[in-house]
Amino acid sequence: MGILVVGTVAFDSVKTPSGTRADVLGGTAVYFGVAASYFSDVSIVSVIGDDFPEEHIAFLQRKGIDTSGLERQKGNTFRWKGEYGSDLNTCTTLDTQLNVLADFSPKLLSTHRAQEYIFLGNIDPGLQRSVLEQVKQPKLVACDTMNYWINNSRASLLKTLAQIDLLIVNDAEARQLSDETNLVRAARRILALGPKRLVIKKGEHGALLFNSNSIFIAPAYPLEEVMDPTGAGDSFAGGLMGYLAASGALDDAALRKAVVFGSVMASFNVMDFGPRKLGDLTFPEIESRFREFYRLSFFEDIAAASAEAEDLL
Amino acid sequence: MGILVVGTVAFDSVKTPSGTRADVLGGTAVYFGVAASYFSDVSIVSVIGDDFPEEHIAFLQRKGIDTSGLERQKGNTFRWKGEYGSDLNTCTTLDTQLNVLADFSPKLLSTHRAQEYIFLGNIDPGLQRSVLEQVKQPKLVACDTMNYWINNSRASLLKTLAQIDLLIVNDAEARQLSDETNLVRAARRILALGPKRLVIKKGEHGALLFNSNSIFIAPAYPLEEVMDPTGAGDSFAGGLMGYLAASGALDDAALRKAVVFGSVMASFNVMDFGPRKLGDLTFPEIESRFREFYRLSFFEDIAAASAEAEDLL
């Protein structure tokens, strides 16, 4: 079962404590697509300018990604420039050039309309809904958003949230969307807006999965060095959706494993600038890191503890 | 096997987003002692003034705590006043009155010298070592410290660290002590200073356990409301040491469970001002929350994932 991702393709210029890079291939569709490609068929729908080199398209195709939804327009590709603070938790946007993205209006090919796993990247909530109007019978619709839409297009965003299954945002976005500092209360408010599931990404502090009756807390991989956090959220979503599409399951056990596979892909992605490291993995490496996550968070059940406690009382 | 804790007994005046309380019973010895009392025998060594009411001593004794090491001196009991920010992650100390604590020099009774589990609360590193000189043959020595000693008594603190088994600090203290932002690198530097194990507490983001060859990431309990974070770190340490003393084991599996029991006790403690909630628990309640921690962080092993992955490749 295939995945459809609608989102940006970009040239990113980033400065992090580890270095500076200009015009690196990036954007939601790229990071998500590459991460998901290890698990499932994935098609990307996006727009590029006439400055976008064939080698980048070839890179995506080598990862098995369907690029038939990559619309080439007259003008330049979307560009973003940002700088991360010394603790990598803050990022200042220095420049945004929408370019061909300004008039982006996703039109889905018939093959794409039949996809069952849909990821609506961080674009105008109205465009997100226009995608949903075109897909036939999705099994799972997941969605991202950001502070800009929460502030400036709240009404439209709420309409989108009412139509999706899974919202994936970071902790700051969850707090802003719910107007609630405490994340448990924030999650309850967000679930009341429509999504059946909510994932809150907390960067170096891991991720939380909420549904109406349970919470899952996934650890983050304890990296000694983060080269570049750009694309971490999108590669997280790609790993998550990729695993779900591959497994075909949507129960709580599958969702939990999907969140861990998302964390695995994000942990690889931040080890280098751009999607280079992410694109250069093998599935055994991904499985091996999944097992490391398991060992990182494993502790024995209460059964043993309970027997010992009996002795104490 | 019994636990000895050396640390403050205090009257705390705190302001949190949930309210204000004046002269609440507090201090390391109290929070640690009450938390540990559910698991093991615990003796506290501290100093109180002639203003300290008998009812507080009776409260500790009702919890089964040995208060024979509670030295009463002429003058007032140590007082601390602080205010927490709206996100509860920042705390401003408004007033500190050392009072009888100024001349505190712990002298251990012979019964206390024989204790095997020693917790050196956050006091002058020189006093911490004076305790170690008095104990006979400890099985485990754990220690806390704070920014004040890291800044002003670094040389003395390093001597103490060379003599202990387990350091328990928060993330800010770990960064300050190691002069390293990344917590994995910070942990490596701290382990090189002497402690065989290190626990880094991250408040609402859980806790990390490091030894030379493995890392354990424990979740925090997702509370909807934190009334008062005061004593969270000490009740964490009390639950951790209490479980270790009760189990008698010091292997990685025991340490992991101990960190979770520490997290359990801290999660109860922050639900009310002072040690009231912490003192009012039953062991089944503690076990029940341990099980909740287990469910919060449980995900299936790779075995199942691996079989599915085979199908994909």
Side-chain angles (χ1 to χ4, degrees), chain A residues 27-276:
Chain A
T28 292
V30 169
Y31 284 108
F32 180 101
V34 174
S37 72
Y38 292 94
F39 299 85
S40 174
D41 290 338
V42 54
S43 304
I44 65 180
V45 169
S46 192
V47 60
I48 53 178
D50 40 30
D51 59 345
F52 196 80
E54 284 299 325
E55 64 177 273
H56 287 340
I57 297 175
F59 163 72
L60 295 171
Q61 290 176 342
R62 272 200 310 279
K63 300 307 300 176
I65 296 170
D66 165 26
T67 59
S68 63
L70 213 47
E71 189 183 317
R72 194 185 282 271
Q73 294 285 353
K74 227 179 166 59
N76 282 329
T77 301
F78 170 54
R79 274 168 173 74
W80 175 80
K81 187 175 182 178
E83 180 172 347
Y84 293 87
S86 61
D87 65 355
L88 298 166
N89 285 329
T90 54
C91 182
T92 309
T93 290
L94 302 174
D95 189 28
T96 303
Q97 296 173 24
L98 287 179
N99 300 331
V100 295
L101 195 66
D103 298 314
F104 180 48
S105 175
K107 275 164 224 64
L108 271 51
L109 303 173
S110 63
T111 49
H112 297 157
R113 293 170 187 253
Q115 303 288 21
E116 293 192 312
Y117 293 83
I118 314 294
F119 184 70
L120 306 170
N122 169 29
I123 53 174
D124 183 303
L127 290 184
Q128 292 179 320
R129 284 198 306 286
S130 83
V131 173
L132 290 185
E133 283 158 17
Q134 298 174 63
V135 293
K136 282 182 185 158
Q137 205 171 3
K139 191 169 168 182
L140 182 77
V141 176
C143 170
D144 183 15
T145 191
M146 70 182 290
N147 52 0
Y148 181 83
W149 310 116
I150 297 172
N151 280 336
N152 301 306
S153 306
R154 181 174 279 266
S156 178
L157 176 60
L158 293 180
K159 280 192 206 173
T160 298
L161 293 182
Q163 297 179 35
I164 65 162
D165 302 299
L166 170 65
L167 178 67
I168 304 176
V169 289
N170 67 34
D171 45 358
E173 290 156 356
R175 290 189 166 108
Q176 198 181 357
L177 176 58
S178 63
D179 198 23
E180 176 64 71
T181 306
N182 180 285
L183 288 182
V184 184
R185 287 204 297 261
R188 185 167 330 121
R189 286 196 186 187
I190 291 169
L191 291 176
L193 299 174
K196 286 179 279 295
R197 309 263 192 171
L198 167 68
V199 170
I200 299 180
K201 300 167 288 180
K202 300 200 298 173
E204 61 164 327
H205 301 301
L208 306 172
L209 166 66
F210 295 88
N211 65 25
S212 60
N213 57 24
S214 85
I215 303 177
F216 170 57
I217 305 181
Y221 191 73
L223 287 164
E224 294 207 26
E225 189 174 12
V226 171
M227 292 280 277
D228 178 11
T230 309
D234 293 320
S235 48
F236 175 94
L240 187 158
M241 293 289 280
Y243 173 75
L244 287 179
S247 77
L250 286 174
D251 58 304
D252 195 49
L255 260 294
R256 286 175 177 230
K257 277 156 84 173
V259 168
V260 176
F261 273 115
S263 307
V264 164
M265 301 314 286
S267 78
F268 281 122
N269 182 62
V270 301
M271 290 170 70
D272 202 350
F273 287 89
R276 187 161 47 174

Side-chain angles (χ1 to χ4, degrees), chain B residues 253-267:
Chain B
L255 261 293
R256 287 174 177 231
K257 277 157 84 173
V259 167
V260 177
F261 273 115
S263 306
V264 165
M265 300 315 286
S267 77

Side-chain angles (χ1 to χ4, degrees), chain B:
Chain B
M1 283 171 284
I3 304 174
L4 182 73
V5 51
V6 181
T8 56
V9 170
F11 287 122
D12 294 332
S13 295
V14 297
K15 186 175 179 185
T16 81
S18 302
T20 303
R21 295 291 186 282
D23 292 333
V24 175
L25 175 64
T28 293
V30 169
Y31 284 108
F32 180 99
V34 174
S37 72
Y38 292 94
F39 300 85
S40 174
D41 290 337
V42 55
S43 304
I44 65 179
V45 169
S46 192
V47 61
I48 53 177
D50 40 32
D51 60 343
F52 195 79
E54 284 300 324
E55 64 176 277
H56 286 339
I57 296 176
F59 163 71
L60 296 170
Q61 290 176 343
R62 274 202 308 280
K63 300 309 298 175
I65 296 170
D66 165 27
T67 59
S68 63
L70 214 48
E71 187 183 317
R72 194 184 282 273
Q73 293 285 353
K74 226 178 165 62
N76 282 329
T77 302
F78 171 55
R79 272 168 173 74
W80 174 81
K81 188 174 181 179
E83 180 171 349
Y84 293 86
S86 61
D87 66 356
L88 297 167
N89 285 330
T90 54
C91 182
T92 309
T93 291
L94 302 173
D95 190 26
T96 303
Q97 296 172 22
L98 287 179
N99 299 331
V100 296
L101 195 65
D103 298 315
F104 180 49
S105 175
K107 276 164 224 67
L108 271 52
L109 303 172
S110 63
T111 49
H112 297 157
R113 292 171 187 250
Q115 303 287 22
E116 292 191 314
Y117 293 83
I118 314 294
F119 184 69
L120 306 170
N122 168 28
I123 52 174
D124 183 302
L127 291 184
Q128 292 178 321
R129 284 198 306 287
S130 82
V131 172
L132 291 186
E133 283 159 16
Q134 296 175 62
V135 294
K136 282 181 186 160
Q137 206 170 5
K139 191 169 169 182
L140 183 77
V141 176
C143 168
D144 184 15
T145 193
M146 71 182 291
N147 53 0
Y148 181 83
W149 310 116
I150 297 171
N151 280 335
N152 300 304
S153 306
R154 181 175 278 266
S156 178
L157 177 61
L158 293 180
K159 280 191 206 174
T160 299
L161 293 181
Q163 297 179 34
I164 64 161
D165 302 301
L166 170 64
L167 178 67
I168 305 176
V169 289
N170 68 35
D171 46 357
E173 290 157 354
R175 290 188 166 110
Q176 198 181 355
L177 176 57
S178 63
D179 198 22
E180 177 63 72
T181 306
N182 180 286
L183 287 183
V184 184
R185 287 204 298 261
R188 186 171 325 126
R189 286 197 186 188
I190 291 169
L191 291 177
L193 299 174
K196 286 180 278 297
R197 310 263 193 171
L198 167 68
V199 170
I200 299 179
K201 299 168 291 181
K202 301 200 298 172
E204 63 166 324
H205 301 301
L208 306 171
L209 166 67
F210 295 89
N211 63 27
S212 60
N213 57 25
S214 85
I215 303 177
F216 170 58
I217 305 182
Y221 191 73
L223 288 163
E224 294 206 27
E225 189 175 9
V226 171
M227 291 280 276
D228 178 10
T230 309
D234 293 321
S235 48
F236 175 95
L240 186 158
M241 293 288 281
Y243 173 74
L244 288 180
S247 77
L250 285 174
D251 58 305
D252 194 51
L255 261 293
R256 287 174 177 231
K257 277 157 84 173
V259 167
V260 177
F261 273 115
S263 306
V264 165
M265 300 315 286
S267 77
F268 280 122
N269 182 62
V270 300
M271 291 171 69
D272 201 351
F273 287 90
R276 191 162 43 179
K277 173 78 184 169
L278 190 68
D280 207 30
L281 300 170
T282 63
F283 204 77
E285 286 179 282
I286 293 168
E287 288 188 298
S288 169
R289 185 156 292 181
F290 183 100
R291 275 185 219 106
E292 287 189 66
F293 270 83
Y294 189 81
R295 284 192 293 270
L296 278 170
S297 55
F298 178 79
F299 60 95
E300 278 174 25
D301 200 346
I302 190 73
S306 185
E308 287 156 17
E310 303 279 272
D311 297 342
L312 306 175
L313 296 175

